[in-house]
Amino acid sequence: MNAPAPNIMRFAAPIRRLPEAVSNRIAAGEVVERPASAVKELVENAIDAGATRIEIAKADGGKSLIRVSDDGCGIPQDQLALALERHATSKIDDEDLVDIRHFGFRGEALPSIGSVSRLTITSRVAGADGWQVAVAAGVLSAPRPASRAHGTTVEVRDLFYATPARLKFLRTDRAEAQAIGEVIRRLAMASPAVSFTLTDVTEPAQPRKLFSVTGAQGDLFDQRAARAAEILGTGFAENAVPVEAERDGLTLSGQIGLPTFSRGAAVAQHITVNGRPVRDKLLLGAVRAAYMDVLSRDRYPVVALHLTCPPERVDVNVHPAKAEVRFRESGTVRGLIISAIRHALAGAGHRSTTTISDAALGAFQPGDHAPRPVPARTGWSAQGEAYATRPSWGAYPSAPAIDAAATAQAPAGFAEADWTSARGVPGATDALPEGAPLGAARAQVHENYIIAQTADGIVLVDQHAAHERLVYEKLKAQSVATGVARQGLLIPEIVELGTDAGRLLDHAEALAEMGLLIEPFGPGAVAVREVPAILGQTDPAALLRDVADEIADLGTADGLRGRIDAILSRMACHGSVRSGRRMTADEMNALLREIEATPNSNTCNHGRPTWVRLGLDDIEKLFGRR
């Protein structure tokens, strides 16, 4: 005999309305998940109030104290108690949930926080007296006079003391403090004209300032650039390119880091929608897709992007935390982000990431390192024409020996012009081409690295990585120009997909351009007639289900394009100049000119740098000349 389910009551209990305090605590579980959530809501209220300076203080990771003070418009005395009622707000009209232009609009934050803590609001409107109201675990006290400059201070003590179960699930003070810092940084990035200060007052006698930025000046673009440099560091400003694009009423602006200026996690990706910081998978996925060809899979780009669109084309009322949004035309948004980032990277010119150059210079710093033994037989090439056998390094040659070498004739295997260039004597190949940022090839070392001289320094080029990028870009261009070759199936494969069949057929034209030809085959089924030939032996059913899953998740079938590009990348890797090949002077210079003319050639297909620039000033410093 089956036992009744333990969670199903045998007799239905009467339906009743929950007490207001209980309702607020339930709502608090969604709105206020941890101290950082409370800080986010309070700081957003301060920004909505027009504050230009916001000061945040916290103690014990925000568990015992959170205090947010601002110089905004303040709350009138007769509205203080109303501000602590659920769904009471001044930020939207009675029935308008479309034209949302503020951070907050739900009217849930203050009553939710007040229901699980001891909350005090002190506020003063310009030209009036200050007033204070307090609430503890949902129990409201009467307003009373208080002294304060114009603006508002919200103090939260003993967060979650009214819900001990939630308190037990909080992380350590350090982890909660880090989460608060991340929230402040993201809000500061979204509001560059506002000054922010975060202070730890766990020890009141020794407060520690953890974060501080001053409101930026100038137009909005300059403000955002200055704030990005403050939050992401000056290294980002030195290794970022601007983004400015518009499509169908959507505008994208900001800065993106060069591919070689990347991080090990997606912690430095700041995206705002109409000034609201969000962590939306559609937007983050678009950024990832835009860097797909130029960044290693285990690295993440650094971006500060701001998307602006009409409020009616984006829904921010998806979740009480408002960290996710829904776009009316998600495909247009994704396409705008991907194309804008790729265009910006392609037009970045040939810029060497300063972090890589600094690392290279650091490796050259003199130190007390024991010399490593050099093999007796070492291959090397000056202008690619020679391969000589030389003895292991011994004592330094004498001055007469150097003079004799300078006047010696070219040894066997060297062209005279190459020999003079290798010795540092001006020769026919010494002229630097005009308008060529990578300069002229001077030597090849270890049969893999080209040394080129520029007007203001030198460039080290990884010949295999650079040529791999060149071949890959050519293969992609050919694929786009001629279309992806298809392989017809002898017997069409019938794949049962249920409701996913309709989604796939809606994208049938785009899939055909990528070599996947499908047709409807009855309700919920699709017939696969042709597949991309470049995929080789593939399982059409598995491929179709993967594409269907991606369309359901992101609304696009870019994953198939990614598979094709991955194979083209492997073909480029195997078909490019290999390490160990000696190149002639003409070959090396031709490679340099192709690098200069090819977009995204700063990195190989796997995201590694293809060349490093070392400035002459920095090189001279290494030798004490400056």
Side-chain angles (χ1 to χ4, degrees):
M1 185 174 179
N2 295 329
N7 294 327
I8 297 179
M9 293 181 292
R10 186 168 299 179
F11 301 102
I15 299 174
R16 58 191 178 88
R17 182 179 289 107
L18 291 175
E20 186 71 16
V22 176
S23 299
N24 285 339
R25 290 175 189 175
I26 293 174
E30 293 183 321
V31 179
V32 189
E33 300 175 358
R34 59 192 306 188
S37 305
V39 170
K40 171 182 175 294
E41 297 292 342
L42 297 179
V43 173
E44 287 180 348
N45 282 345
I47 297 173
D48 284 340
T52 61
R53 187 180 69 256
I54 302 175
E55 299 176 355
I56 306 100
K58 56 92 177 173
D60 301 316
K63 299 173 185 176
S64 60
L65 172 67
I66 296 171
R67 182 169 59 243
V68 177
S69 302
D70 67 65
D71 61 350
C73 62
I75 305 174
Q77 173 195 355
D78 58 347
Q79 297 180 21
L80 272 176
L82 183 61
L84 290 166
E85 293 186 14
R86 287 189 69 198
H87 306 309
T89 181
S90 62
K91 299 172 186 178
I92 62 172
D93 294 333
D94 292 346
E95 298 181 0
D96 190 359
L97 279 177
V98 176
D99 189 17
I100 296 175
R101 300 178 183 271
H102 298 84
F103 281 109
F105 57 88
R106 298 170 64 101
E108 290 182 317
L110 289 177
S112 295
I113 296 172
S115 68
V116 295
S117 68
R118 295 181 173 89
L119 174 70
T120 303
I121 302 178
T122 307
S123 188
R124 178 187 174 190
V125 178
D129 294 332
W131 287 83
Q132 183 180 92
V133 65
V135 59
V139 179
L140 182 67
S141 64
R144 60 178 184 271
S147 175
R148 195 199 186 284
H150 78 88
T152 302
T153 296
V154 180
E155 188 173 277
V156 180
R157 291 188 177 274
D158 304 326
L159 185 64
F160 297 128
Y161 91 96
T163 52
R166 173 60 60 89
L167 189 62
K168 293 179 180 178
F169 282 91
L170 293 182
R171 301 177 65 184
T172 63
D173 291 356
R174 180 183 181 87
E176 298 298 343
Q178 289 175 343
I180 290 175
E182 180 65 14
V183 164
I184 298 302
R185 283 191 293 272
R186 294 193 176 277
L187 288 169
M189 185 72 82
S191 304
V194 181
S195 300
F196 291 83
T197 302
L198 174 61
T199 306
D200 187 342
V201 293
T202 302
E203 298 181 12
Q206 296 179 332
R208 294 186 300 119
K209 185 175 292 186
L210 305 178
F211 177 80
S212 179
V213 291
T214 304
Q217 305 297 318
D219 60 25
L220 184 58
F221 187 86
D222 291 338
Q223 290 178 357
R224 286 172 170 172
R227 182 55 55 87
E230 283 188 289
I231 293 178
L232 297 175
T234 56
F236 175 72
E238 296 170 355
N239 298 287
V241 295
V243 173
E244 198 76 38
E246 190 274 336
R247 178 187 298 178
D248 298 335
L250 306 175
T251 302
L252 183 70
S253 64
Q255 294 174 293
I256 57 172
L258 295 173
T260 45
F261 185 82
S262 58
R263 303 288 290 272
V267 295
Q269 297 180 5
H270 294 263
I271 304 177
T272 69
V273 176
N274 291 346
R276 180 191 304 276
V278 297
R279 298 287 294 174
D280 186 81
K281 67 178 182 179
L282 170 71
L283 303 178
L284 295 176
V287 171
R288 187 70 171 169
Y291 277 86
M292 181 176 62
D293 278 351
V294 295
L295 198 61
S296 176
R297 291 183 178 273
D298 60 346
R299 304 296 297 177
Y300 295 84
V302 181
V303 301
L305 294 172
H306 307 276
L307 179 67
T308 304
C309 69
E312 63 271 13
R313 296 172 65 179
V314 58
D315 182 9
V316 299
N317 190 26
V318 177
H319 186 273
K322 302 182 288 292
E324 298 180 10
V325 295
R326 294 290 183 272
F327 294 97
R328 183 178 295 178
E329 304 99 356
S330 58
T332 302
V333 174
R334 179 180 170 85
L336 172 64
I337 293 174
I338 293 176
S339 61
I341 292 178
R342 288 181 175 173
H343 179 76
L345 292 176
H350 290 81
R351 294 175 52 187
S352 174
T353 308
T354 58
T355 52
I356 295 179
S357 301
D358 292 343
L361 287 168
F364 280 114
Q365 293 290 345
D368 297 328
H369 304 296
R372 290 181 291 182
V374 180
R377 182 177 179 87
T378 303
W380 67 286
S381 169
Q383 297 290 19
E385 295 286 342
Y387 186 87
T389 300
R390 58 181 171 81
S392 300
W393 294 112
Y396 290 108
S398 62
I402 296 175
D403 293 338
T407 58
Q409 294 182 346
F414 278 85
E416 183 61 36
D418 297 332
W419 173 241
T420 56
S421 177
R423 290 181 294 134
V425 179
T429 60
D430 281 352
L432 296 179
E434 294 184 5
L438 298 188
R442 288 291 179 255
Q444 181 193 32
V445 295
H446 294 291
E447 282 71 54
N448 191 50
Y449 301 101
I450 298 170
I451 301 177
Q453 178 183 341
T454 65
D456 59 353
I458 64 173
V459 170
L460 305 178
V461 180
D462 183 330
Q463 67 187 37
H464 171 69
H467 196 241
E468 180 182 11
R469 166 60 67 179
L470 303 182
V471 175
Y472 180 42
E473 293 297 331
K474 289 180 180 178
L475 290 174
K476 286 199 301 179
Q478 293 172 2
S479 174
V480 172
T482 61
V484 178
R486 301 175 185 172
Q487 173 66 51
L489 300 180
L490 186 62
I491 301 176
E493 177 123 4
I494 310 302
V495 183
E496 297 286 345
L497 294 169
T499 56
D500 288 336
R503 294 195 189 99
L504 277 172
L505 293 171
D506 289 341
H507 291 75
E509 185 176 347
L511 294 175
E513 293 177 358
M514 291 183 280
L516 183 60
L517 186 62
I518 61 174
E519 296 176 353
F521 194 85
V526 170
V528 183
R529 296 195 174 274
E530 296 178 352
V531 296
I534 198 171
L535 296 182
Q537 294 294 328
T538 186
D539 183 351
L543 174 63
L544 215 59
R545 290 191 178 94
D546 288 346
V547 174
D549 288 344
E550 183 184 26
I551 292 175
D553 189 32
L554 299 175
T556 67
D558 290 343
L560 179 57
R561 179 79 254 179
R563 289 192 185 192
I564 295 172
D565 286 347
I567 294 175
L568 294 178
S569 176
R570 288 196 292 272
M571 292 171 60
C573 182
H574 292 293
S576 59
V577 172
R578 309 299 298 177
S579 299
R581 174 184 168 183
R582 285 167 282 161
M583 301 178 67
T584 66
D586 290 341
E587 288 176 328
M588 289 190 288
N589 281 304
L591 181 64
L592 296 178
R593 301 293 81 80
E594 279 201 74
I595 295 173
E596 293 165 348
T598 303
N600 302 319
S601 58
N602 292 345
T603 62
C604 72
N605 311 346
H606 313 293
R608 296 189 297 269
T610 57
W611 57 271
V612 178
R613 185 192 303 277
L614 302 178
L616 184 59
D617 290 346
D618 292 325
I619 296 173
E620 289 182 339
K621 289 177 183 177
L622 292 176
F623 293 95
R625 290 179 174 269
R626 288 181 178 269

